[in-house]
Amino acid sequence: MKDLFSNDTIVALSTPPGVGGIGVIRLSGPEAIRISEKILPGLNLQAAKSHTLHFGIVRDGDTVLDEAVAGLFKAPSSFTCEDVVEISCHGSPYILQKVLQLLISKGARLAKPGEFTMRAFFNGRFDLSQAEAVSDLIASETQAAHNLAINQMRGGFSGELKILREELMHFASLLELELDFSEEDVEFANRPQLISLLEKMQLKIKRLCESFRLGNVIKNGVSAVIAGRPNAGKSTLLNAMLNEERAIVSDIPGTTRDTIEENLTINGIAFRLTDTAGIREAADAIEKQGVERTMQKIEQAAIVIYLFDADGFSPDEVAEDLSKLNKNKGIPVLPVANKVDKMEDPNKFNEIEGISLVSAKNGYGIDALKKQLYDTVIQGGNIHDGVILSNARHYEALEATLKNLEAAKKGIENKLSGELVASDIRSALNHLGEITGTVTTDDLLGNIFGKFCIGK
Amino acid sequence: MKDLFSNDTIVALSTPPGVGGIGVIRLSGPEAIRISEKILPGLNLQAAKSHTLHFGIVRDGDTVLDEAVAGLFKAPSSFTCEDVVEISCHGSPYILQKVLQLLISKGARLAKPGEFTMRAFFNGRFDLSQAEAVSDLIASETQAAHNLAINQMRGGFSGELKILREELMHFASLLELELDFSEEDVEFANRPQLISLLEKMQLKIKRLCESFRLGNVIKNGVSAVIAGRPNAGKSTLLNAMLNEERAIVSDIPGTTRDTIEENLTINGIAFRLTDTAGIREAADAIEKQGVERTMQKIEQAAIVIYLFDADGFSPDEVAEDLSKLNKNKGIPVLPVANKVDKMEDPNKFNEIEGISLVSAKNGYGIDALKKQLYDTVIQGGNIHDGVILSNARHYEALEATLKNLEAAKKGIENKLSGELVASDIRSALNHLGEITGTVTTDDLLGNIFGKFCIGK
């Protein structure tokens, strides 16, 4: 496991890329202080106390690169538990890149994504699910997502799992003990108590698993694609939902070619709205590319807003389009009639299930459509309910745990040998341990920290 | 003047917006420490030493917003010479916005752009041209621009001006003294020496002014627009120059609708390359919008690459297009023949002055075209020559100074009254003083610092 853990000194830009007042470059490792001193001549960081700030001039030989402030955290009192120096430069991408290069030339190595947090995990600062929450916390864009992540980072989720795991561990050790005395046919582990524990765990874990769909939506947002025939008013609908003139609109069918994506938050849930080129037999090669991109987007969507011209379309045509769209592996499709201000019979589309009536042009029905989007996604889930599972990896581990627990329970009920039951329980413990990192592999860690941003 | 200077506590996000490992929120002012303590309960920053770092939990009432590190700089040992606290949070836009709001609710005020640097200027940390260089330094994207800015920030330019100004001040005071004794007809100021000083100053300032065109290019980059008829291969040329598939290309005239902008650095000079919609009688309303945007872009360009199809175009047609483009107020136009691989007579366009031959498709001539772009912009200027002027405000002030110096010189030569000469010299001193901020107005300062990013 410790293959991933190297003992060299890593460096990365820790602030977002781009122009700003300041940008912070972070070093961690045994040489962090010495390497920093090389580019900040005159500073004696070795002799300085931990948790102090030092003004200095960043020099590359005779060239002045910047005036900077170095923040010093000495091991083990740092995020990574190693020596850490944070160099605060002016927020110019050019300077930050030059300073990074300079530090690398002096012996630091560019950190891999998440490598600082991985070191923090290896050095025991927190468990794996807490480390993962650091990444989620940074990525959270809504209050709901933030609450989920900070609760997990501060150990709310780990704590719950830890208690379950310890109770199970207790029984597991009793079972193992029985195996040692297997010839004497004793039962140290009270079977009814064990079954009751297994059932309690199953219930808790099932609830957690059920919360995953919602947690995932809260964490990752929802990709909603606006699709339909040319000139249905898709770009106008996008603009109306965003309340700004984002996409070029015109009366000419096929105005939109490249897909346009924008974010929209509805009641704390982030939606990525995608406006697409209208679907029809393409008139030329460019439009063909556009239509192909649309079809891709529909396949990747979590929800499709099927928009049509209420004035020019018949219910049969709508039903036909919907039946084609519904072939898409169960992705929910919201049928939306646009231009209802021009529609003569207000009941024209009553037969279409779940129909929304809007006029993208004058804003009629837009708020109701947003609410319907939200409701479709949340489906009655209460986002304030206890611990919510939001990590696909945890979900899979818990699903596997559930299976092990069920097998163990069946094994006891069918009076199978203690060895088989113990083996199922060991599997369950392993799967639970993967979540907090008690049990882990290089692949798993590479996977988890590879998703972090560089510099964290 | 001090109207602009308020004594309250300001706050802003100092790192670039976006997602990253960390984001830093900076407070400055008399309440900076007290306000920080309110959101980091348990920390006693009042009692802590300057230049120290403190780990804490950011809380909004009972809600945990983040785990953060506060960096403490006590007045006057800070960038602004006031109490400064820099709070390093996780780099989540959501968290940073929440923490900002929280600090504002506790009594801080959102800083205006450049307000931290303005306070540093007011508190005497540096002069105005140095303060301006802070902004230039942050914005610099190339080595040439960075060298210019850091030289100016560290006082290279101010130093030169200061010496000139002090010499002139010396004579000015002698002249003023003469005025006090005007009835006695004495000459304290040696006229030949004064004329020689004026000429020396004129020469130096002229050189600085001459360096401005270059300095401006180094600092701001060059907007280069690729224009021409539809299907000349403009998008293909953009892709070839960038060496990536940035723009959608097809054989169909009119593929590009929205203008596409990308950055390209040639020998340390930044170019903003703009690909535009082809110019022709527009076939429809969308294309018409595209053509209009193209014409706007051409008007705003510093240099126009006029691209045409070498195979399908005659020299006369090219000359006609060029004569139309050249009407654009002296913006240089580089004629570029594309698709020369298909051209039968290699000398076909020899008559066109400054013609470049390229094949955007196979890359022929692209490097030569880049070199020509660079040469056109630099026009033999040596970018390593001494102090280079890069600030339009300084340029204007120096131009005005030059006029005053010339008037003073003429006045002495024509033996005008000392009062008139003294008045011209006073004007020159004022204009020089504007550059370093010795002489300044609220409008001027508002203008300068308004161009800064927020948080600096």
Side-chain angles (χ1 to χ4, degrees), chain B residues 259-429:
Chain B
T259 53
I260 296 176
E261 292 199 17
E262 281 296 326
N263 294 319
L264 174 68
T265 304
I266 307 176
N267 292 344
I269 301 293
F271 288 80
R272 270 188 314 286
L273 273 185
T274 306
D275 179 24
T276 60
I279 304 168
R280 63 170 171 187
E281 291 299 315
D284 57 43
I286 310 164
E287 192 176 344
K288 203 168 160 217
Q289 273 196 49
V291 172
E292 276 167 17
R293 287 185 187 189
T294 300
M295 299 314 293
Q296 278 174 12
K297 285 287 166 190
I298 290 176
E299 278 170 32
Q300 295 158 1
I303 187 164
V304 174
I305 298 173
Y306 164 67
L307 193 73
F308 61 92
D309 179 348
D311 186 35
F313 249 50
S314 74
D316 285 351
E317 287 172 304
V318 172
E320 197 191 319
D321 276 4
L322 279 173
S323 80
K324 278 182 202 158
L325 281 170
N326 279 327
K327 277 184 201 145
N328 269 295
K329 325 161 198 158
I331 298 168
V333 177
L334 295 188
V336 180
N338 189 20
K339 310 185 189 177
V340 293
D341 46 328
K342 290 188 189 163
M343 185 170 68
E344 280 163 20
D345 172 10
N347 300 316
K348 183 172 173 188
F349 297 104
N350 281 1
E351 300 287 304
I352 311 281
E353 204 189 314
I355 186 85
S356 296
L357 304 181
V358 305
S359 165
K361 210 164 182 175
N362 67 31
Y364 171 81
I366 298 300
D367 285 340
L369 176 60
K370 285 185 187 174
K371 187 171 180 321
Q372 208 194 335
L373 264 177
Y374 177 82
D375 290 345
T376 307
V377 164
I378 297 299
Q379 285 178 5
N382 182 345
I383 65 170
H384 299 293
D385 240 24
V387 174
I388 294 173
L389 190 66
S390 64
N391 185 307
R393 186 180 76 79
H394 302 173
Y395 175 75
E396 279 168 24
L398 288 179
E399 284 279 348
T401 309
L402 270 184
K403 275 186 198 149
N404 298 141
L405 294 178
E406 185 61 26
K409 205 179 88 178
K410 282 266 151 56
I412 296 170
E413 287 167 353
N414 298 335
K415 302 205 188 305
L416 294 186
S417 81
E419 204 151 344
L420 287 174
V421 174
S423 149
D424 284 329
I425 291 186
R426 264 198 304 273
S427 290
L429 284 171

Side-chain angles (χ1 to χ4, degrees), chain A residues 14-16 18-22 51-53 57 65 67 92 94 137-138 140 143 146 150 154 248 255 257-258, chain B residues 14-16 18-22 51-53 57 65 67 92 94-95 137-138 140 143 146 150 154 248 255 257-258:
Chain A
S14 280
T15 45
V19 172
I22 59 175
H51 288 64
T52 52
L53 292 156
I57 312 286
L65 273 181
E67 300 181 347
S92 136
Y94 175 81
L137 184 66
I138 289 171
S140 62
Q143 189 177 346
H146 171 263
I150 205 146
R154 294 181 62 76
I248 294 184
T255 299
R257 287 177 170 180
D258 292 295
Chain B
S14 281
T15 44
V19 173
I22 59 176
H51 288 66
T52 51
L53 292 157
I57 311 285
L65 273 181
E67 300 181 347
S92 137
Y94 175 81
I95 289 177
L137 185 67
I138 290 171
S140 62
Q143 189 178 348
H146 170 262
I150 204 146
R154 293 179 61 77
I248 293 185
T255 300
R257 287 177 169 179
D258 292 296

Side-chain angles (χ1 to χ4, degrees), chain B residues 63-122:
Chain B
T63 308
V64 172
L65 273 181
D66 201 7
E67 300 181 347
V69 172
L72 181 64
F73 301 83
K74 291 198 166 175
S77 307
S78 72
F79 176 66
T80 57
C81 304
E82 304 176 328
D83 281 343
V84 166
V85 180
E86 290 184 354
I87 302 177
S88 212
C89 299
H90 282 94
S92 137
Y94 175 81
I95 289 177
L96 292 166
Q97 175 213 339
K98 282 284 165 186
V99 175
L100 262 179
Q101 286 171 356
L102 186 59
L103 287 165
I104 289 166
S105 78
K106 300 297 183 196
R109 168 174 65 74
L110 195 63
K112 283 177 239 151
E115 200 167 0
F116 292 95
T117 312
M118 182 152 69
R119 291 194 171 188
F121 163 68
F122 274 129

Side-chain angles (χ1 to χ4, degrees), chain A residues 187-244:
Chain A
E187 277 197 7
F188 296 113
N190 180 317
R191 294 300 187 267
Q193 269 186 26
L194 181 53
I195 288 200
S196 133
L197 172 65
L198 293 176
E199 283 174 348
K200 189 178 88 183
M201 289 185 73
Q202 280 180 310
L203 192 70
K204 279 217 176 180
I205 292 177
K206 246 183 214 152
R207 273 207 203 124
L208 276 174
C209 287
E210 279 163 9
S211 73
F212 173 65
R213 204 190 57 80
L214 181 60
N216 192 42
V217 159
I218 291 173
K219 180 168 131 187
N220 298 320
V222 185
S223 160
V225 165
I226 307 175
R229 307 273 181 107
N231 218 24
K234 295 180 291 299
S235 299
T236 311
L237 180 66
L238 179 84
N239 290 345
M241 291 182 79
L242 295 173
N243 208 9
E244 62 172 297

